[in-house]
Amino acid sequence: MYIFAGLLFNEGKLSACVFTEPEMEPDDTYLLDYALFFSSVLLDYYEATGDLETLRDLYDVAIDQIRIAMTQLNEKNVVEDLGDAFWCFLDWGDGLNKQAGATAVLIYCIRYGIRLAKILDKQEDISWLEEKQAMLKEAAVKEFWDEELGMFVSGPDRQASWATQIWMILARVFDKETNCKLIHHVMEVNPRIRMVTPYMYHHYIDALIRCDEKELALEEMKRYWGEMIRDGADTFWELYNPYNREESPYGSSMVNSYCHAWSCTPTYFLRKFYMDNEK
């Protein structure tokens, strides 16, 4: 975290990645969601370690990412849709519109920002963040919720995708009961724009667990990662789409990463939510 915070772009944005050889240098890519996750990563670190000094050191960087993201809202108080430009990740899925998902990630990370601010008793920040959180939730429902579909939609074509629904659930735009109904509805409808990375499936599993669907989450882990194993994986692949095993964001699946850190999160979920219950 210190390396990323020490290699900010001039405007205070976090780089999507950094290079450590031959010398420390930030990549020239800025991704809205990656930068925003600094707040959730910082809180996870603090809760695991109790390291208050690091929290104090990096707090401003985390909150600044939220402030920067707020400058990217349009007149309807949702994140501006920048189309096919590489401005937000969410998932590698071909054709995925990211406007609604990006707005949901911002709401999600504001919640973590509020928790950080409360630990440090930053009252002005708490008030500002809570105000923006309420504003964004209201705008998200107004702009993206489609009552007829029973799902959130995104972009000018009103696209319904798995990623958009999952991030709106994690952002807690609706209450828990409504979120639980939504995730079951999505599973039943199975929108055409599906998840294609273990990274996005991680957030899907997280959403199921937060909807008190631990057993279903375990079944889905076994189904998705189990299918990857049956296809020959003995490491965690960057991208795995059971509907199109040759899918790649790089032009060929031969170029995909076949040992990828973001894909190993069943090891996290199993330890945190399942193994302790069996002791």
Side-chain angles (χ1 to χ4, degrees), residues 91-122:
D91 199 14
W92 276 131
D94 186 34
L96 173 64
N97 184 275
K98 301 173 181 180
Q99 182 182 26
T103 302
V105 170
L106 174 55
I107 298 169
Y108 172 90
C109 291
I110 285 176
R111 184 169 77 249
Y112 283 88
I114 291 169
R115 292 172 65 184
L116 293 174
K118 286 182 176 179
I119 294 168
L120 297 180
D121 195 28
K122 302 279 190 176

Side-chain angles (χ1 to χ4, degrees), residues 119-134:
I119 294 168
L120 297 180
D121 195 28
K122 302 279 190 176
Q123 293 300 319
E124 288 188 10
D125 286 347
I126 293 169
S127 297
W128 180 78
L129 289 165
E130 288 179 341
E131 176 189 343
K132 299 306 180 185
Q133 182 185 55

Side-chain angles (χ1 to χ4, degrees), residues 127-173:
S127 297
W128 180 78
L129 289 165
E130 288 179 341
E131 176 189 343
K132 299 306 180 185
Q133 182 185 55
M135 178 195 77
L136 284 162
K137 284 185 177 183
E138 180 180 354
V141 174
K142 181 178 180 181
E143 294 302 315
F144 300 129
W145 178 250
D146 188 305
E147 189 67 36
E148 183 177 347
L149 291 177
M151 290 188 291
F152 289 94
V153 295
S154 183
D157 295 330
R158 310 288 286 171
Q159 178 194 90
S161 69
W162 278 85
T164 292
Q165 316 315 312
I166 289 164
W167 274 114
M168 287 294 179
I169 290 168
L170 292 173
R172 302 180 186 176
V173 173

Side-chain angles (χ1 to χ4, degrees), residues 21-22 27 76 108 110 157 173 175 205-206 209 215 267:
E21 298 291 342
D27 185 21
K76 296 179 179 179
Y108 172 90
I110 285 176
D157 295 330
V173 173
D175 60 33
I205 300 301
D206 191 15
I209 291 172
E215 291 308 310
T267 60

Side-chain angles (χ1 to χ4, degrees), residues 225 227-237:
W225 277 270
E227 188 72 13
M228 190 190 301
I229 292 169
R230 285 187 287 274
D231 270 348
D234 54 9
T235 54
F236 292 98
W237 296 347

Side-chain angles (χ1 to χ4, degrees), residues 37-251:
F37 287 139
F38 198 80
S39 60
S40 61
V41 171
L42 183 56
L43 182 64
D44 285 346
Y45 171 79
Y46 171 75
E47 290 184 336
T49 65
D51 183 353
L52 192 60
E53 181 180 359
T54 295
L55 173 56
R56 290 195 180 105
D57 284 349
L58 299 179
Y59 171 82
D60 286 342
V61 175
I63 301 303
D64 282 348
Q65 304 317 302
I66 296 172
R67 295 187 189 279
I68 290 167
M70 291 298 298
T71 68
Q72 299 185 45
L73 303 186
N74 63 18
E75 70 281 358
K76 296 179 179 179
N77 289 327
V78 296
V79 174
E80 185 72 34
D81 186 1
L82 298 183
D84 294 332
F86 194 41
W87 62 279
C88 176
F89 179 70
L90 294 188
D91 199 14
W92 276 131
D94 186 34
L96 173 64
N97 184 275
K98 301 173 181 180
Q99 182 182 26
T103 302
V105 170
L106 174 55
I107 298 169
Y108 172 90
C109 291
I110 285 176
R111 184 169 77 249
Y112 283 88
I114 291 169
R115 292 172 65 184
L116 293 174
K118 286 182 176 179
I119 294 168
L120 297 180
D121 195 28
K122 302 279 190 176
Q123 293 300 319
E124 288 188 10
D125 286 347
I126 293 169
S127 297
W128 180 78
L129 289 165
E130 288 179 341
E131 176 189 343
K132 299 306 180 185
Q133 182 185 55
M135 178 195 77
L136 284 162
K137 284 185 177 183
E138 180 180 354
V141 174
K142 181 178 180 181
E143 294 302 315
F144 300 129
W145 178 250
D146 188 305
E147 189 67 36
E148 183 177 347
L149 291 177
M151 290 188 291
F152 289 94
V153 295
S154 183
D157 295 330
R158 310 288 286 171
Q159 178 194 90
S161 69
W162 278 85
T164 292
Q165 316 315 312
I166 289 164
W167 274 114
M168 287 294 179
I169 290 168
L170 292 173
R172 302 180 186 176
V173 173
F174 289 144
D175 60 33
K176 188 173 184 177
E177 181 180 356
T178 306
N179 282 337
C180 292
K181 291 178 181 177
L182 174 57
I183 202 163
H184 281 283
H185 179 59
V186 175
M187 294 176 71
E188 180 181 351
V189 173
N190 191 13
R192 183 180 62 83
I193 305 296
R194 301 184 178 99
M195 303 170 283
V196 301
T197 60
Y199 169 85
M200 192 63 234
Y201 267 87
H202 163 88
H203 297 297
Y204 169 49
I205 300 301
D206 191 15
L208 285 171
I209 291 172
R210 291 173 188 267
C211 289
D212 294 331
E213 291 286 2
K214 282 182 60 179
E215 291 308 310
L216 181 54
L218 184 59
E219 290 175 13
E220 290 293 271
M221 277 190 277
K222 290 178 179 178
R223 181 187 63 81
Y224 179 70
W225 277 270
E227 188 72 13
M228 190 190 301
I229 292 169
R230 285 187 287 274
D231 270 348
D234 54 9
T235 54
F236 292 98
W237 296 347
E238 172 191 12
L239 186 148
Y240 180 67
N241 181 2
Y243 299 96
N244 177 13
R245 288 168 168 79
E246 295 302 314
E247 184 155 351
S248 172
Y250 311 117

Side-chain angles (χ1 to χ4, degrees), residues 11-36:
E11 58 269 41
K13 293 178 178 178
L14 280 164
S15 173
C17 66
V18 298
F19 302 104
T20 58
E21 298 291 342
E23 59 185 27
M24 294 287 185
E25 182 180 2
D27 185 21
D28 60 1
T29 302
Y30 168 77
L31 295 174
L32 180 74
D33 48 346
Y34 278 23
L36 283 168

